[in-house]
């Protein structure tokens, strides 16, 4: 039968089928490339057939793209030939131009924009169905795909481009943080906060969270035994630092759990007390919190003294301090010794001078930074370069700070006023 004798109805039906195939290839390509690789991996591990097939296809995107383009181009060529034939039969010589215009419009709307938009909005159902079809087509079209990949990969190598599978799925620390932050309602906010804090631990050192040396309390072995007994009985801590004369001569730590039974039975004396002292555990001030968490587990310790590069004691860090970086404040330190950030009715903050800068930044959303200081007191001393006095005010990071009380040449308490909102050039105009 002559092709010109084929009924127009059959030709239009064939054209309709070809448009559906073109939409399938265009939409499925967008759907497969829009899949969340980590969600896809999770679904594949749970045994979802469509996810398993899609993951296998995406492991070699060069082969998948070759298959899709091979099918899509073949279909589009047939559409062009068929549309030209219909144009000539319906409109004569002028039908060629008419067919070209109509064909371009229809392909853009029904073969590209609509299916790709739909696939981008609902990638999973489309991709999982398409993956079954492409997996079968891959087996049939393998010789052609292999030849196309051989040629294209050879050309890519000439330009120094290589297919690195790990680079397609690996995320940097900041990229992973962005992924976690954008999880939205899928993860409770408390869990999100904990995940972000865990990620921040890698860049946080024990120096950032340690209790500074000036706030350390302990037992001096040179004190009278009756005085030592009184301190042990009235102690608010379960582990006590033990030293001789000064903190420059630390002996170790003693656990009250070992002392109280002896005290109850009347057997506690200086000799038994000294025998229960466990040698101190020292760590460098630059140790990351993630590493120190592992170190505590390995060393079977819960508390450590932080030292600088010269071996001088800088402070103390406990396992609870690191855990609080993840889950938030849960310290049982008595209120008489607690450090606080208290918000007042006028929007100002009443702050203890020993509060770490990191805690203040979290509470106020500020961005106080210091190369040397860890506490707000240290930041003020660094800024003033002189001894602070009550009533002194300063402006740091656009926050007015007012010193209210000092002790031993250090800021004891201060008030942080609301941040000053500076006008931008655009707002002035």
């Amino acid at each position: 039968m002559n092709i010109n004798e084929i009924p127009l109805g059959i030709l239009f039906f064939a054209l309709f089928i070809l448009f559906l195939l073109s939409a399938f290839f265009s939409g499925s390509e967008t759907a497969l490339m829009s899949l969340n690789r980590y969600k896809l991996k999770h679904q594949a591990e749970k045994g979802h057939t469509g996810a398993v097939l899609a993951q296998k296809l995406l492991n070699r995107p060069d082969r998948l793209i070759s298959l899709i383009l091979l099918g899509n181009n073949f279909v589009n060529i047939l559409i062009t030939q068929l549309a030209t034939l219909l144009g000539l039969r319906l409109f004569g010589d002028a039908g060629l131009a008419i067919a070209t215009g109509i064909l371009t419009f229809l392909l853009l709307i029904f073969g590209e924009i609509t299916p790709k938009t739909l696939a981008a909005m609902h990638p999973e159902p489309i991709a999982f169905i398409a993956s079954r079809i492409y997996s079968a087509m891959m087996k049939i079209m393998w010789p052609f795909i292999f030849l196309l990949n051989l040629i294209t990969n050879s050309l890519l190598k000439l330009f120094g481009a290589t297919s690195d599978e790990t680079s397609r799925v690996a995320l940097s620390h900041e990229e992973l943080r962005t992924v976690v932050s954008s999880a939205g309602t899928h993860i409770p906010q408390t869990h999100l906060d904990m995940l972000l804090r865990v990620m921040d631990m890698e860049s946080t050192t024990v120096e950032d969270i340690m209790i500074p040396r000036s706030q350390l309390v302990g037992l001096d072995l040179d004190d009278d035994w009756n005085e030592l007994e009184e301190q042990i009985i009235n102690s608010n801590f379960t582990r006590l630092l033990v030293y001789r004369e000064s903190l420059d001569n630390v002996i170790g730590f003693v656990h009250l759990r070992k002392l109280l039974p002896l005290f109850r039975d009347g057997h506690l004396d200086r000799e038994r007390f000294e025998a229960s002292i466990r040698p101190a555990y020292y760590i460098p001030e630059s140790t990351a919190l993630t590493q120190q968490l592992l170190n505590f587990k390995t060393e079977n310790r819960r508390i450590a003294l932080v030292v600088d590069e010269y071996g001088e004691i800088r402070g103390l860090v406990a396992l609870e301090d690191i855990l609080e970086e993840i889950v938030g404040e849960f310290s049982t330190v008595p209120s008489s010794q607690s450090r606080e950030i208290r918000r007042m009715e006028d929007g100002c903050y009443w702050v203890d001078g020993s509060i770490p800068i990191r805690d203040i930044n979290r509470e106020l959303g500020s961005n106080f930074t210091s190369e040397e200081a860890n506490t707000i007191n240290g930041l003020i001393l660094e800024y003033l370069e002189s001894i602070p006095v009550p009533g002194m005010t300063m402006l740091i990071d656009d926050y007015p700070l007012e010193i209210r009380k000092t002790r031993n040449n250090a800021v004891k308490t201060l008030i942080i006023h609301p941040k000053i909102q500076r006008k931008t050039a655009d707002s002035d105009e």
Side-chain angles (χ1 to χ4, degrees):
M1 178 186 293
N2 191 322
I3 192 171
N4 291 321
E5 297 177 357
I6 299 176
L8 289 176
I10 295 178
L11 293 178
F12 275 110
F13 179 74
L15 187 63
F16 174 74
I17 297 299
L18 290 174
F19 264 102
L20 289 180
L21 291 174
S22 178
F24 166 76
F25 284 117
S26 297
S28 59
E29 178 185 9
T30 300
L32 284 163
M33 296 304 170
S34 300
L35 287 175
N36 184 310
R37 300 298 178 91
Y38 302 97
K39 186 177 181 181
L40 177 64
K41 183 178 179 180
H42 173 69
Q43 291 173 313
E45 289 175 350
K46 291 176 64 176
H48 191 290
T49 305
V52 172
L53 295 175
Q55 188 177 46
K56 288 181 179 179
L57 291 170
L58 290 170
N59 284 339
R60 288 301 303 269
D62 52 340
R63 295 177 182 176
L64 177 60
I65 291 173
S66 296
L67 177 62
I68 294 174
L69 292 180
L70 185 64
N72 202 17
N73 283 311
F74 179 73
V75 168
N76 287 342
I77 290 173
L78 289 179
I79 290 175
T80 303
Q81 296 296 324
L82 191 55
T84 301
L85 176 62
L86 286 170
L88 290 173
R89 287 184 59 178
L90 292 174
F91 305 104
D93 293 338
L96 184 61
I98 295 174
T100 301
I102 295 176
L103 180 64
T104 301
F105 176 78
L106 292 178
L107 274 178
L108 280 175
I109 298 299
F110 298 105
E112 295 292 335
I113 298 175
T114 301
K116 287 187 174 182
T117 302
L118 180 63
M121 295 171 60
H122 308 283
E124 288 187 8
I126 297 174
F128 292 161
I129 294 174
S131 62
R132 301 172 187 267
I133 299 173
Y134 285 140
S135 296
M137 288 179 61
M138 188 70 74
K139 297 176 181 178
I140 300 172
M141 304 292 292
W142 171 247
F144 300 100
I145 302 301
F146 176 79
L147 180 61
L148 286 173
N149 285 157
L150 181 63
I151 296 172
T152 54
N153 289 336
S154 299
L155 291 174
L156 289 173
K157 287 181 180 179
L158 293 177
F159 295 97
T162 57
S163 178
D164 185 0
E165 188 173 329
T166 59
S167 65
R168 294 194 297 270
V169 297
L171 291 178
S172 67
H173 180 274
E174 292 303 321
E175 290 170 338
L176 182 58
R177 183 182 175 86
T178 301
V179 171
V180 173
S181 300
S182 60
T185 57
H186 298 289
I187 303 178
Q189 186 60 45
T190 54
H191 295 179
L192 279 177
D193 292 340
M194 290 173 63
L195 287 171
L196 292 173
R197 287 171 182 167
V198 169
M199 296 176 63
D200 288 339
M201 286 173 62
E202 187 65 35
S203 57
T204 306
T205 65
V206 293
E207 182 185 15
D208 297 321
I209 68 167
M210 69 180 184
I211 300 173
R213 173 174 173 149
S214 60
Q215 297 179 23
L216 296 183
V217 294
L219 304 175
D220 186 353
L221 284 179
D222 289 340
D223 287 346
D224 180 73
W225 174 243
N226 291 330
E227 185 177 342
L228 287 176
E229 273 191 330
E230 188 70 21
Q231 293 180 50
I232 293 171
I233 295 171
N234 296 319
S235 175
N236 294 307
F237 303 97
T238 57
R239 290 175 176 83
L240 295 174
L241 179 66
V242 180
Y243 59 90
R244 195 179 295 276
E245 292 186 1
S246 71
L247 288 176
D248 293 322
N249 187 21
V250 171
I251 307 301
F253 290 90
V254 64
H255 201 303
L256 287 186
R257 186 178 61 186
K258 297 180 179 180
L259 300 181
L260 292 180
L262 295 173
F263 183 82
R264 179 193 58 199
D265 299 335
H267 298 153
L268 182 61
D269 54 23
R270 183 181 289 273
E271 182 178 351
R272 288 189 175 91
F273 171 74
E274 293 186 7
S276 65
I277 298 174
R278 187 180 186 184
Y281 170 46
Y282 299 91
I283 58 174
E285 59 185 348
S286 59
T287 306
L289 294 190
T290 49
Q291 182 60 50
Q292 187 52 45
L293 194 60
L294 296 175
N295 292 345
F296 274 139
K297 181 179 179 181
T298 303
E299 300 291 335
N300 192 25
R301 296 275 193 159
R302 297 178 65 92
I303 195 167
L305 291 173
V306 182
V307 297
D308 60 17
E309 58 183 317
Y310 303 107
E312 298 288 336
I313 295 176
R314 293 284 311 279
L316 178 147
V317 66
L319 176 61
E320 289 80 3
D321 297 325
I322 299 180
L323 295 179
E324 285 183 351
E325 287 295 304
I326 301 175
V327 301
E329 186 81 19
F330 61 83
S331 176
T332 56
V333 175
S335 58
S336 61
Q337 300 183 29
S338 63
R339 298 171 296 172
E340 62 177 348
I341 304 175
R342 189 171 73 252
R343 193 176 192 276
M344 298 185 291
E345 293 182 358
D346 59 359
C348 298
Y349 288 86
W350 185 279
V351 179
D352 190 300
S354 61
I355 290 287
I357 296 174
R358 297 176 69 251
D359 291 350
I360 293 177
N361 286 338
R362 285 178 180 174
E363 182 72 24
L364 276 66
S366 55
N367 191 34
F368 295 125
T369 57
S370 172
E371 295 181 0
E372 300 293 337
N374 294 319
T375 64
I376 189 65
N377 167 63
L379 176 66
I380 292 174
L381 292 176
E382 185 180 272
Y383 178 84
L384 292 176
E385 297 182 348
S386 62
I387 302 301
V389 295
M392 183 178 289
T393 60
M394 66 217 68
L395 186 67
I396 302 179
D397 191 35
D398 291 337
Y399 282 90
L401 275 61
E402 178 185 353
I403 299 174
R404 298 305 299 270
K405 186 177 181 181
T406 61
R407 180 184 297 171
N408 297 329
N409 298 326
V411 177
K412 179 62 178 175
T413 55
L414 68 147
I415 293 178
I416 301 180
H417 295 267
K419 185 175 183 178
I420 297 176
Q421 301 298 327
R422 298 184 181 273
K423 293 183 178 181
T424 62
D426 293 337
S427 62
D428 290 340
E429 293 177 1

